[in-house]
Amino acid sequence: MGTVEETLKCPVCQDFFTDPVSLSCGHDFCLTCIQAVWETEGSDEVPFFCPECQIFLPSDVTLEINTNLQTKAHALLHQQRSALREHTVVEVTGDPLSLKCQEHRDELKLFCMEEMVPVCCLCVLVGMHKNHKVFQLHEACVDFKTSAADFKERISDKYSRIRVVLDGDERLMMQIIDAEEMYMTEWLEAQRGHMEAQIKEIDSLRASRKSLLQEEIELRFLQQIKAQNLWNPLDLTPIQEVDKDLCDLEKLTTVERLVDDLSVALSQHFPRMWSHLSSPALDSKSAHPKLEISQDRKQVYWRTQPVSEALSPQPYDSQYSVLAQESFTTGRHYWEVIVQEKPYWLVGVTTGPVDKRDALSQSSSSLGVHNTSWCIYHGYGQYLACHDTQEKQLSVGKRVRKLGILANLQKGELSFYNADTMTLLHSFCVQCTEPIYPMLNPCIDASGLNTQPLTMFWIKDHWDWHINTEGAKE
């Protein structure tokens, strides 16, 4: 076995592989090299063979590019040749044109900070991004990552401040209650002591009067009356009844009312719409054959194979859709779909066919634009709210990169939002007794410009507002 460098060189030209192909015998050659050998070594009737081991190959042999070997050879080529060391090496992509400017066909090396898009050098020098502020791609990545970290830190700090305020308010209210309890207890103890002294005095007088009434000698009885000044009626301080108002826990009820006011003020902002966030999985059985579903069932693509001429040339066709596995009949449900820079897309909900397996046999109007379907369609900056045969053009200030859908089935409302700004785009009145399914339509790929997927937004370790609040109440 030779060195790594030797294994990445063609046995014919002795240079690094260019479009390497692997023969059934296991040997590799440049595509042009093996084709040149077969053309020079014999006619078309002569069987194909391997120049290395001389094994004859089938007459219907197919030559397919070995992308893994090509990547290794290309990377080593950039390492060894000084003229190529400054080149940018990226991962192999199925669409190399996506790495180049659509207008100038030059490599996208810069990032326009004003338009927030990757650009080439010519875009900045003579194109639409002339005089715009631009960064190198890696600088832009670092800047965005730093900004994201700063946002995260600032938001965390704001929540920390809120917790400090809430904790401080709780401590204050608890201190007020403790102080009120202490002073109320002291006052009640003082009242009790005063009453006990009065009762003791009365009991003493009662005992002495009882003893006097038992005196049988008249002279001594009269002498005791004079000594104790009993000629006049007794003037005893009456026992005061405790005023109920003085025992009223008014301050404690005031504290409770203030805490209730705080709870009401907070509840106006809770639960947030994101508290209802879900990420329904896509049902590949309901997808049109021209659509491809990712393995995690969160993305839908337009397939990369050429589109048949029999298909409609229009980017929007409601037939090219996929439904979610989950349907909704009651409650509040919210999900988001990442659309990013796609020029065409259609997102909404539908009752779907009765049997999802029959979805593909239905007419195009069966998914998306019938009387139990509600959608938002985007086509190169234009937004339409679609229901049945009606279309309404929407005025959207900022381009939507994530679309949010809130289904409030108790109220019969279906609302679409710019999920980044939580700006309402449009609301439908939904009167439907059948289960509704989230629906995604990536639209056909027009000249390689609409290859991006539609992606269901998903977060890890979702905090369930209902479960946690119910637990807190208990």
Side-chain angles (χ1 to χ4, degrees):
M1 194 68 171
T3 63
V4 174
E5 179 179 345
E6 292 174 348
T7 60
L8 299 178
K9 287 186 177 182
C10 173
V12 177
C13 65
Q14 296 298 311
D15 200 355
F16 289 106
F17 285 117
T18 302
D19 295 333
V21 294
S22 298
L23 303 183
S24 58
C25 60
H27 291 111
D28 306 305
F29 303 90
C30 295
L31 177 60
T32 55
C33 290
I34 192 63
Q35 288 176 338
V37 168
W38 288 346
E39 288 175 1
T40 58
E41 292 294 335
S43 65
D44 292 340
E45 286 129 15
V46 177
F48 298 118
F49 66 97
C50 172
E52 283 286 281
C53 61
Q54 303 299 314
I55 290 179
F56 288 105
L57 304 172
S59 58
D60 60 347
V61 62
T62 56
L63 299 176
E64 295 183 359
I65 305 298
N66 187 330
T67 56
N68 185 39
L69 189 60
Q70 184 179 24
T71 301
K72 294 179 180 179
H74 195 71
L76 189 60
L77 184 66
H78 277 267
Q79 293 176 9
Q80 293 195 351
R81 297 187 180 176
S82 58
L84 302 178
R85 286 174 186 166
E86 299 300 322
H87 286 191
T88 303
V89 180
V90 298
E91 293 184 5
V92 175
T93 174
D95 182 17
L97 290 179
S98 64
L99 303 177
K100 292 188 176 182
C101 174
Q102 295 289 337
E103 181 180 359
H104 303 110
R105 298 299 177 182
D106 196 10
E107 185 179 355
L108 297 171
K109 293 183 177 180
L110 306 174
F111 192 84
C112 176
M113 301 302 292
E114 296 184 23
E115 300 291 337
M116 306 300 287
V117 292
V119 295
C120 70
C121 296
L122 291 176
C123 288
V124 180
L125 293 175
V126 296
M128 296 176 58
H129 300 271
K130 186 177 181 180
N131 298 325
H132 285 187
K133 182 180 179 181
V134 296
F135 283 170
Q136 295 286 341
L137 284 181
H138 71 278
E139 293 177 348
C141 288
V142 172
D143 183 69
F144 281 124
K145 290 180 180 179
T146 303
S147 298
D150 290 342
F151 269 111
K152 188 174 181 179
E153 184 176 353
R154 289 203 303 271
I155 292 172
S156 178
D157 181 64
K158 290 178 187 292
Y159 271 108
S160 296
R161 293 174 184 272
I162 292 173
R163 292 188 188 97
V164 169
V165 171
L166 290 176
D167 290 344
D169 187 75
E170 181 182 4
R171 285 197 303 272
L172 174 62
M173 294 306 179
M174 292 300 104
Q175 289 170 351
I176 293 293
I177 292 173
D178 290 342
E180 192 71 14
E181 181 183 6
M182 179 184 69
Y183 286 111
M184 182 66 73
T185 301
E186 289 181 356
W187 180 80
L188 289 174
E189 287 291 339
Q191 292 295 316
R192 187 179 70 173
H194 180 64
M195 291 180 182
E196 287 178 348
Q198 284 186 308
I199 294 172
K200 185 176 181 181
E201 182 181 357
I202 292 172
D203 288 344
S204 177
L205 287 173
R206 288 178 59 192
S208 63
R209 297 314 185 263
K210 185 177 180 181
S211 175
L212 181 60
L213 290 174
Q214 294 175 352
E215 181 61 54
E216 295 180 354
I217 301 174
E218 295 177 351
L219 178 61
R220 189 174 294 177
F221 176 78
L222 294 174
Q223 289 175 340
Q224 288 293 328
I225 289 178
K226 183 174 178 60
Q228 297 182 25
N229 194 22
L230 298 178
W231 297 106
N232 299 316
L234 292 175
D235 185 18
L236 295 175
T237 303
I239 296 178
Q240 296 290 333
E241 181 180 354
V242 177
D243 190 346
K244 293 181 179 179
D245 290 340
L246 296 176
C247 296
D248 189 9
L249 303 178
E250 189 172 1
K251 181 167 284 189
L252 300 187
T253 57
T254 301
V255 168
E256 186 175 14
R257 176 175 56 79
L258 291 175
V259 175
D260 288 340
D261 291 344
L262 176 62
S263 178
V264 171
L266 290 175
S267 66
Q268 294 176 0
H269 305 281
F270 295 98
R272 302 191 191 279
M273 197 179 302
W274 286 328
S275 301
H276 302 282
L277 182 65
S278 62
S279 182
L282 301 179
D283 184 5
S284 57
K285 294 180 181 178
S286 70
H288 188 275
K290 289 293 184 181
L291 300 182
E292 182 176 348
I293 310 301
S294 63
Q295 189 173 2
D296 61 4
R297 294 180 297 173
K298 297 298 182 185
Q299 292 185 322
V300 55
Y301 301 79
W302 181 260
R303 288 190 183 271
T304 55
Q305 69 262 28
V307 180
S308 170
E309 294 181 358
L311 296 176
S312 170
Q314 295 298 323
Y316 160 50
D317 189 323
S318 59
Q319 185 180 12
Y320 304 134
S321 305
V322 60
L323 303 183
Q325 285 187 328
E326 184 179 2
S327 63
F328 307 120
T329 54
T330 60
R332 286 163 58 95
H333 307 274
Y334 178 75
W335 63 97
E336 294 181 357
V337 180
I338 302 173
V339 298
Q340 295 294 18
E341 299 291 333
K342 281 181 69 65
Y344 299 104
W345 50 263
L346 179 78
V347 175
V349 303
T350 180
T351 57
V354 176
D355 186 345
K356 284 197 247 180
R357 291 174 297 181
D358 296 335
L360 303 178
S361 64
Q362 304 288 329
S363 65
S364 64
S365 62
S366 67
L367 288 177
V369 287
H370 59 103
N371 60 359
T372 53
S373 290
W374 302 264
C375 309
I376 297 292
Y377 168 68
H378 170 263
Y380 269 118
Q382 300 296 318
Y383 296 84
L384 296 177
C386 307
H387 172 57
D388 205 357
T389 59
Q390 302 174 355
E391 293 181 351
K392 178 182 178 181
Q393 186 165 349
L394 305 179
S395 176
V396 178
K398 186 175 176 134
R399 178 161 188 166
V400 177
R401 298 177 186 275
K402 295 185 189 71
L403 185 71
I405 303 96
L406 176 66
N408 190 341
L409 300 180
Q410 273 90 351
K411 291 186 177 181
E413 292 179 350
L414 181 70
S415 303
F416 292 83
Y417 294 84
N418 181 334
D420 286 328
T421 61
M422 280 301 171
T423 304
L424 179 64
L425 302 177
H426 187 74
S427 285
F428 292 98
C429 180
V430 177
Q431 300 297 333
C432 183
T433 58
E434 300 177 67
I436 61 172
Y437 294 84
M439 181 195 71
L440 277 65
N441 182 342
C443 297
I444 70 173
D445 178 21
S447 304
L449 300 178
N450 198 38
T451 59
Q452 306 96 322
L454 289 177
T455 304
M456 283 288 190
F457 183 74
W458 175 80
I459 59 176
K460 187 178 181 181
D461 300 329
H462 184 257
W463 188 80
D464 194 313
W465 168 267
H466 305 284
I467 294 176
N468 284 275
T469 51
E470 289 173 3
K473 290 177 182 178
E474 294 175 0

